[in-house]
PDB file of all heavy atoms in Angstrom:
ATOM      1  N   LYS A 128     -17.970  -1.561  -5.741  1.00 65.00           N
ATOM      2  CA  LYS A 128     -16.563  -1.622  -5.368  1.00 65.00           C
ATOM      3  C   LYS A 128     -16.375  -1.874  -3.877  1.00 65.00           C
ATOM      4  O   LYS A 128     -15.269  -1.922  -3.388  1.00 65.00           O
ATOM      5  CB  LYS A 128     -15.861  -0.328  -5.770  1.00 65.00           C
ATOM      6  CG  LYS A 128     -15.804  -0.156  -7.278  1.00 65.00           C
ATOM      7  CD  LYS A 128     -15.029   1.062  -7.646  1.00 65.00           C
ATOM      8  CE  LYS A 128     -14.952   1.199  -9.164  1.00 65.00           C
ATOM      9  NZ  LYS A 128     -14.149   2.325  -9.565  1.00 65.00           N
ATOM     10  N   SER A 129     -17.471  -2.035  -3.135  1.00 71.00           N
ATOM     11  CA  SER A 129     -17.405  -2.284  -1.705  1.00 71.00           C
ATOM     12  C   SER A 129     -16.737  -3.622  -1.418  1.00 71.00           C
ATOM     13  O   SER A 129     -16.857  -4.572  -2.193  1.00 71.00           O
ATOM     14  CB  SER A 129     -18.821  -2.281  -1.131  1.00 71.00           C
ATOM     15  OG  SER A 129     -18.822  -2.757   0.182  1.00 71.00           O
ATOM     16  N   GLY A 130     -16.084  -3.714  -0.275  1.00 75.00           N
ATOM     17  CA  GLY A 130     -15.425  -4.961   0.111  1.00 75.00           C
ATOM     18  C   GLY A 130     -16.388  -6.082   0.426  1.00 75.00           C
ATOM     19  O   GLY A 130     -16.004  -7.238   0.483  1.00 75.00           O
ATOM     20  N   CYS A 131     -17.659  -5.758   0.649  1.00 72.00           N
ATOM     21  CA  CYS A 131     -18.621  -6.819   0.985  1.00 72.00           C
ATOM     22  C   CYS A 131     -19.627  -7.072  -0.129  1.00 72.00           C
ATOM     23  O   CYS A 131     -20.488  -7.926   0.009  1.00 72.00           O
ATOM     24  CB  CYS A 131     -19.354  -6.465   2.276  1.00 72.00           C
ATOM     25  SG  CYS A 131     -20.416  -5.034   2.147  1.00 72.00           S
ATOM     26  N   PHE A 132     -19.521  -6.362  -1.233  1.00 75.00           N
ATOM     27  CA  PHE A 132     -20.485  -6.553  -2.317  1.00 75.00           C
ATOM     28  C   PHE A 132     -20.254  -7.912  -2.973  1.00 75.00           C
ATOM     29  O   PHE A 132     -19.157  -8.211  -3.438  1.00 75.00           O
ATOM     30  CB  PHE A 132     -20.342  -5.440  -3.360  1.00 75.00           C
ATOM     31  CG  PHE A 132     -21.469  -5.412  -4.345  1.00 75.00           C
ATOM     32  CD1 PHE A 132     -22.647  -4.743  -4.052  1.00 75.00           C
ATOM     33  CD2 PHE A 132     -21.369  -6.069  -5.561  1.00 75.00           C
ATOM     34  CE1 PHE A 132     -23.704  -4.731  -4.945  1.00 75.00           C
ATOM     35  CE2 PHE A 132     -22.412  -6.065  -6.463  1.00 75.00           C
ATOM     36  CZ  PHE A 132     -23.584  -5.388  -6.155  1.00 75.00           C
ATOM     37  N   PRO A 133     -21.289  -8.774  -2.993  1.00 76.00           N
ATOM     38  CA  PRO A 133     -21.123 -10.114  -3.582  1.00 76.00           C
ATOM     39  C   PRO A 133     -20.631 -10.042  -5.028  1.00 76.00           C
ATOM     40  O   PRO A 133     -21.226  -9.376  -5.860  1.00 76.00           O
ATOM     41  CB  PRO A 133     -22.531 -10.710  -3.523  1.00 76.00           C
ATOM     42  CG  PRO A 133     -23.237  -9.914  -2.471  1.00 76.00           C
ATOM     43  CD  PRO A 133     -22.649  -8.527  -2.530  1.00 76.00           C
ATOM     44  N   GLY A 134     -19.525 -10.696  -5.299  1.00 79.00           N
ATOM     45  CA  GLY A 134     -18.969 -10.711  -6.652  1.00 79.00           C
ATOM     46  C   GLY A 134     -18.259  -9.423  -7.027  1.00 79.00           C
ATOM     47  O   GLY A 134     -17.830  -9.254  -8.158  1.00 79.00           O
ATOM     48  N   GLY A 135     -18.134  -8.495  -6.069  1.00 78.00           N
ATOM     49  CA  GLY A 135     -17.480  -7.217  -6.354  1.00 78.00           C
ATOM     50  C   GLY A 135     -15.994  -7.371  -6.607  1.00 78.00           C
ATOM     51  O   GLY A 135     -15.370  -8.361  -6.214  1.00 78.00           O
ATOM     52  N   VAL A 136     -15.400  -6.385  -7.243  1.00 79.00           N
ATOM     53  CA  VAL A 136     -13.975  -6.448  -7.596  1.00 79.00           C
ATOM     54  C   VAL A 136     -13.077  -6.360  -6.379  1.00 79.00           C
ATOM     55  O   VAL A 136     -11.915  -6.742  -6.431  1.00 79.00           O
ATOM     56  CB  VAL A 136     -13.604  -5.338  -8.604  1.00 79.00           C
ATOM     57  CG1 VAL A 136     -14.331  -5.510  -9.916  1.00 79.00           C
ATOM     58  CG2 VAL A 136     -13.884  -3.955  -8.025  1.00 79.00           C
ATOM     59  N   ASN A 137     -13.582  -5.859  -5.268  1.00 80.00           N
ATOM     60  CA  ASN A 137     -12.776  -5.710  -4.056  1.00 80.00           C
ATOM     61  C   ASN A 137     -13.224  -6.641  -2.932  1.00 80.00           C
ATOM     62  O   ASN A 137     -12.967  -6.383  -1.767  1.00 80.00           O
ATOM     63  CB  ASN A 137     -12.840  -4.254  -3.568  1.00 80.00           C
ATOM     64  CG  ASN A 137     -12.170  -3.319  -4.533  1.00 80.00           C
ATOM     65  OD1 ASN A 137     -11.116  -3.613  -5.064  1.00 80.00           O
ATOM     66  ND2 ASN A 137     -12.785  -2.182  -4.790  1.00 80.00           N
ATOM     67  N   LYS A 138     -13.876  -7.737  -3.270  1.00 84.00           N
ATOM     68  CA  LYS A 138     -14.424  -8.674  -2.285  1.00 84.00           C
ATOM     69  C   LYS A 138     -13.338  -9.152  -1.323  1.00 84.00           C
ATOM     70  O   LYS A 138     -12.253  -9.538  -1.738  1.00 84.00           O
ATOM     71  CB  LYS A 138     -15.048  -9.865  -3.007  1.00 84.00           C
ATOM     72  CG  LYS A 138     -15.643 -10.912  -2.101  1.00 84.00           C
ATOM     73  CD  LYS A 138     -17.007 -10.502  -1.637  1.00 84.00           C
ATOM     74  CE  LYS A 138     -17.645 -11.652  -0.878  1.00 84.00           C
ATOM     75  NZ  LYS A 138     -18.481 -11.222   0.178  1.00 84.00           N
ATOM     76  N   VAL A 139     -13.654  -9.091  -0.026  1.00 85.00           N
ATOM     77  CA  VAL A 139     -12.752  -9.607   1.002  1.00 85.00           C
ATOM     78  C   VAL A 139     -13.522 -10.591   1.872  1.00 85.00           C
ATOM     79  O   VAL A 139     -14.744 -10.549   1.956  1.00 85.00           O
ATOM     80  CB  VAL A 139     -12.169  -8.471   1.880  1.00 85.00           C
ATOM     81  CG1 VAL A 139     -11.248  -7.588   1.071  1.00 85.00           C
ATOM     82  CG2 VAL A 139     -13.257  -7.656   2.538  1.00 85.00           C
ATOM     83  N   ALA A 140     -12.806 -11.487   2.520  1.00 85.00           N
ATOM     84  CA  ALA A 140     -13.438 -12.495   3.358  1.00 85.00           C
ATOM     85  C   ALA A 140     -13.856 -11.923   4.711  1.00 85.00           C
ATOM     86  O   ALA A 140     -14.767 -12.426   5.349  1.00 85.00           O
ATOM     87  CB  ALA A 140     -12.486 -13.670   3.564  1.00 85.00           C
ATOM     88  N   SER A 141     -13.184 -10.864   5.144  1.00 84.00           N
ATOM     89  CA  SER A 141     -13.458 -10.291   6.457  1.00 84.00           C
ATOM     90  C   SER A 141     -13.185  -8.789   6.441  1.00 84.00           C
ATOM     91  O   SER A 141     -12.286  -8.321   5.733  1.00 84.00           O
ATOM     92  CB  SER A 141     -12.553 -10.958   7.504  1.00 84.00           C
ATOM     93  OG  SER A 141     -12.548 -10.237   8.706  1.00 84.00           O
ATOM     94  N   GLY A 142     -13.934  -8.044   7.243  1.00 80.00           N
ATOM     95  CA  GLY A 142     -13.706  -6.612   7.360  1.00 80.00           C
ATOM     96  C   GLY A 142     -12.342  -6.283   7.936  1.00 80.00           C
ATOM     97  O   GLY A 142     -11.850  -5.161   7.809  1.00 80.00           O
ATOM     98  N   ASP A 143     -11.703  -7.273   8.582  1.00 84.00           N
ATOM     99  CA  ASP A 143     -10.357  -7.056   9.106  1.00 84.00           C
ATOM    100  C   ASP A 143      -9.348  -6.813   7.986  1.00 84.00           C
ATOM    101  O   ASP A 143      -8.249  -6.322   8.234  1.00 84.00           O
ATOM    102  CB  ASP A 143      -9.902  -8.262   9.939  1.00 84.00           C
ATOM    103  CG  ASP A 143     -10.668  -8.368  11.252  1.00 84.00           C
ATOM    104  OD1 ASP A 143     -11.251  -7.347  11.688  1.00 84.00           O
ATOM    105  OD2 ASP A 143     -10.694  -9.461  11.830  1.00 84.00           O
ATOM    106  N   GLN A 144      -9.698  -7.174   6.759  1.00 87.00           N
ATOM    107  CA  GLN A 144      -8.812  -6.957   5.618  1.00 87.00           C
ATOM    108  C   GLN A 144      -8.938  -5.540   5.054  1.00 87.00           C
ATOM    109  O   GLN A 144      -8.199  -5.167   4.167  1.00 87.00           O
ATOM    110  CB  GLN A 144      -9.118  -7.980   4.526  1.00 87.00           C
ATOM    111  CG  GLN A 144      -8.826  -9.402   4.954  1.00 87.00           C
ATOM    112  CD  GLN A 144      -9.305 -10.398   3.926  1.00 87.00           C
ATOM    113  OE1 GLN A 144     -10.489 -10.682   3.821  1.00 87.00           O
ATOM    114  NE2 GLN A 144      -8.371 -10.910   3.148  1.00 87.00           N
ATOM    115  N   CYS A 145      -9.892  -4.768   5.576  1.00 87.00           N
ATOM    116  CA  CYS A 145     -10.103  -3.387   5.138  1.00 87.00           C
ATOM    117  C   CYS A 145      -9.294  -2.434   6.009  1.00 87.00           C
ATOM    118  O   CYS A 145      -8.967  -2.745   7.147  1.00 87.00           O
ATOM    119  CB  CYS A 145     -11.576  -3.019   5.256  1.00 87.00           C
ATOM    120  SG  CYS A 145     -12.689  -4.023   4.258  1.00 87.00           S
ATOM    121  N   ALA A 146      -9.000  -1.265   5.489  1.00 89.00           N
ATOM    122  CA  ALA A 146      -8.382  -0.221   6.291  1.00 89.00           C
ATOM    123  C   ALA A 146      -9.385   0.188   7.368  1.00 89.00           C
ATOM    124  O   ALA A 146     -10.568   0.365   7.085  1.00 89.00           O
ATOM    125  CB  ALA A 146      -8.018   0.977   5.422  1.00 89.00           C
ATOM    126  N   GLN A 147      -8.936   0.308   8.600  1.00 90.00           N
ATOM    127  CA  GLN A 147      -9.799   0.687   9.716  1.00 90.00           C
ATOM    128  C   GLN A 147      -9.674   2.197   9.920  1.00 90.00           C
ATOM    129  O   GLN A 147      -8.574   2.718  10.108  1.00 90.00           O
ATOM    130  CB  GLN A 147      -9.378  -0.054  10.989  1.00 90.00           C
ATOM    131  CG  GLN A 147      -9.255  -1.562  10.821  1.00 90.00           C
ATOM    132  CD  GLN A 147     -10.539  -2.222  10.370  1.00 90.00           C
ATOM    133  OE1 GLN A 147     -11.595  -1.998  10.931  1.00 90.00           O
ATOM    134  NE2 GLN A 147     -10.450  -3.048   9.332  1.00 90.00           N
ATOM    135  N   LEU A 148     -10.803   2.892   9.857  1.00 88.00           N
ATOM    136  CA  LEU A 148     -10.795   4.355   9.886  1.00 88.00           C
ATOM    137  C   LEU A 148     -11.823   4.881  10.881  1.00 88.00           C
ATOM    138  O   LEU A 148     -12.673   4.152  11.354  1.00 88.00           O
ATOM    139  CB  LEU A 148     -11.109   4.882   8.486  1.00 88.00           C
ATOM    140  CG  LEU A 148     -10.284   4.289   7.348  1.00 88.00           C
ATOM    141  CD1 LEU A 148     -10.936   4.569   6.015  1.00 88.00           C
ATOM    142  CD2 LEU A 148      -8.871   4.825   7.398  1.00 88.00           C
ATOM    143  N   PHE A 149     -11.741   6.179  11.185  1.00 87.00           N
ATOM    144  CA  PHE A 149     -12.763   6.844  11.986  1.00 87.00           C
ATOM    145  C   PHE A 149     -12.802   8.309  11.594  1.00 87.00           C
ATOM    146  O   PHE A 149     -11.891   8.814  10.938  1.00 87.00           O
ATOM    147  CB  PHE A 149     -12.515   6.678  13.497  1.00 87.00           C
ATOM    148  CG  PHE A 149     -11.344   7.466  14.027  1.00 87.00           C
ATOM    149  CD1 PHE A 149     -11.545   8.671  14.688  1.00 87.00           C
ATOM    150  CD2 PHE A 149     -10.046   7.012  13.876  1.00 87.00           C
ATOM    151  CE1 PHE A 149     -10.475   9.406  15.192  1.00 87.00           C
ATOM    152  CE2 PHE A 149      -8.964   7.730  14.375  1.00 87.00           C
ATOM    153  CZ  PHE A 149      -9.192   8.933  15.033  1.00 87.00           C
ATOM    154  N   THR A 150     -13.866   8.988  11.969  1.00 85.00           N
ATOM    155  CA  THR A 150     -13.971  10.411  11.665  1.00 85.00           C
ATOM    156  C   THR A 150     -13.872  11.204  12.958  1.00 85.00           C
ATOM    157  O   THR A 150     -14.209  10.724  14.039  1.00 85.00           O
ATOM    158  CB  THR A 150     -15.305  10.759  10.976  1.00 85.00           C
ATOM    159  OG1 THR A 150     -16.378  10.417  11.851  1.00 85.00           O
ATOM    160  CG2 THR A 150     -15.447  10.035   9.650  1.00 85.00           C
ATOM    161  N   ASP A 151     -13.374  12.433  12.836  1.00 83.00           N
ATOM    162  CA  ASP A 151     -13.279  13.314  13.986  1.00 83.00           C
ATOM    163  C   ASP A 151     -13.257  14.750  13.485  1.00 83.00           C
ATOM    164  O   ASP A 151     -12.887  15.010  12.337  1.00 83.00           O
ATOM    165  CB  ASP A 151     -12.009  13.013  14.777  1.00 83.00           C
ATOM    166  CG  ASP A 151     -12.081  13.532  16.213  1.00 83.00           C
ATOM    167  OD1 ASP A 151     -13.113  14.102  16.611  1.00 83.00           O
ATOM    168  OD2 ASP A 151     -11.092  13.350  16.943  1.00 83.00           O
ATOM    169  N   LYS A 152     -13.661  15.665  14.365  1.00 81.00           N
ATOM    170  CA  LYS A 152     -13.627  17.084  13.993  1.00 81.00           C
ATOM    171  C   LYS A 152     -12.188  17.517  13.787  1.00 81.00           C
ATOM    172  O   LYS A 152     -11.280  17.063  14.474  1.00 81.00           O
ATOM    173  CB  LYS A 152     -14.286  17.935  15.064  1.00 81.00           C
ATOM    174  CG  LYS A 152     -15.783  17.838  15.040  1.00 81.00           C
ATOM    175  CD  LYS A 152     -16.396  18.919  15.877  1.00 81.00           C
ATOM    176  CE  LYS A 152     -17.902  18.857  15.694  1.00 81.00           C
ATOM    177  NZ  LYS A 152     -18.560  19.947  16.361  1.00 81.00           N
ATOM    178  N   MET A 153     -11.999  18.414  12.840  1.00 80.00           N
ATOM    179  CA  MET A 153     -10.674  18.932  12.522  1.00 80.00           C
ATOM    180  C   MET A 153     -10.565  20.366  13.033  1.00 80.00           C
ATOM    181  O   MET A 153     -11.232  21.252  12.514  1.00 80.00           O
ATOM    182  CB  MET A 153     -10.430  18.878  11.012  1.00 80.00           C
ATOM    183  CG  MET A 153     -10.616  17.499  10.401  1.00 80.00           C
ATOM    184  SD  MET A 153      -9.488  16.266  11.029  1.00 80.00           S
ATOM    185  CE  MET A 153      -7.969  16.805  10.288  1.00 80.00           C
ATOM    186  N   GLY A 154      -9.775  20.577  14.072  1.00 81.00           N
ATOM    187  CA  GLY A 154      -9.589  21.920  14.613  1.00 81.00           C
ATOM    188  C   GLY A 154     -10.862  22.483  15.210  1.00 81.00           C
ATOM    189  O   GLY A 154     -11.684  21.759  15.764  1.00 81.00           O
ATOM    190  N   ASP A 155     -11.046  23.795  15.078  1.00 81.00           N
ATOM    191  CA  ASP A 155     -12.205  24.476  15.646  1.00 81.00           C
ATOM    192  C   ASP A 155     -13.392  24.536  14.693  1.00 81.00           C
ATOM    193  O   ASP A 155     -14.435  25.068  15.044  1.00 81.00           O
ATOM    194  CB  ASP A 155     -11.820  25.907  16.045  1.00 81.00           C
ATOM    195  CG  ASP A 155     -10.819  25.919  17.183  1.00 81.00           C
ATOM    196  OD1 ASP A 155     -10.798  24.946  17.955  1.00 81.00           O
ATOM    197  OD2 ASP A 155     -10.055  26.891  17.289  1.00 81.00           O
ATOM    198  N   SER A 156     -13.234  24.025  13.478  1.00 73.00           N
ATOM    199  CA  SER A 156     -14.312  24.122  12.492  1.00 73.00           C
ATOM    200  C   SER A 156     -15.300  22.972  12.657  1.00 73.00           C
ATOM    201  O   SER A 156     -15.113  22.079  13.469  1.00 73.00           O
ATOM    202  CB  SER A 156     -13.740  24.109  11.072  1.00 73.00           C
ATOM    203  OG  SER A 156     -13.297  22.806  10.746  1.00 73.00           O
ATOM    204  N   SER A 157     -16.354  23.011  11.871  1.00 74.00           N
ATOM    205  CA  SER A 157     -17.324  21.918  11.889  1.00 74.00           C
ATOM    206  C   SER A 157     -16.944  20.828  10.899  1.00 74.00           C
ATOM    207  O   SER A 157     -17.658  19.849  10.755  1.00 74.00           O
ATOM    208  CB  SER A 157     -18.723  22.456  11.573  1.00 74.00           C
ATOM    209  OG  SER A 157     -18.736  23.017  10.276  1.00 74.00           O
TER     210      SER A 157
END
């Protein structure tokens, strides 16, 4: 289901078509 998997159901021409995300710590927890 990856956007870059050849022949996948969610194939996109560029990663710019994907939601852009990042991770970060939430509050004081790990």
Side-chain angles (χ1 to χ4, degrees):
K128 294 184 179 183
S129 169
C131 66
F132 192 85
V136 296
N137 293 318
K138 180 81 173 146
V139 293
S141 166
D143 290 340
Q144 296 173 283
C145 299
Q147 308 301 310
L148 310 163
F149 71 100
T150 61
D151 200 1
K152 285 193 174 186
M153 305 298 289
D155 294 334
S156 73
S157 62

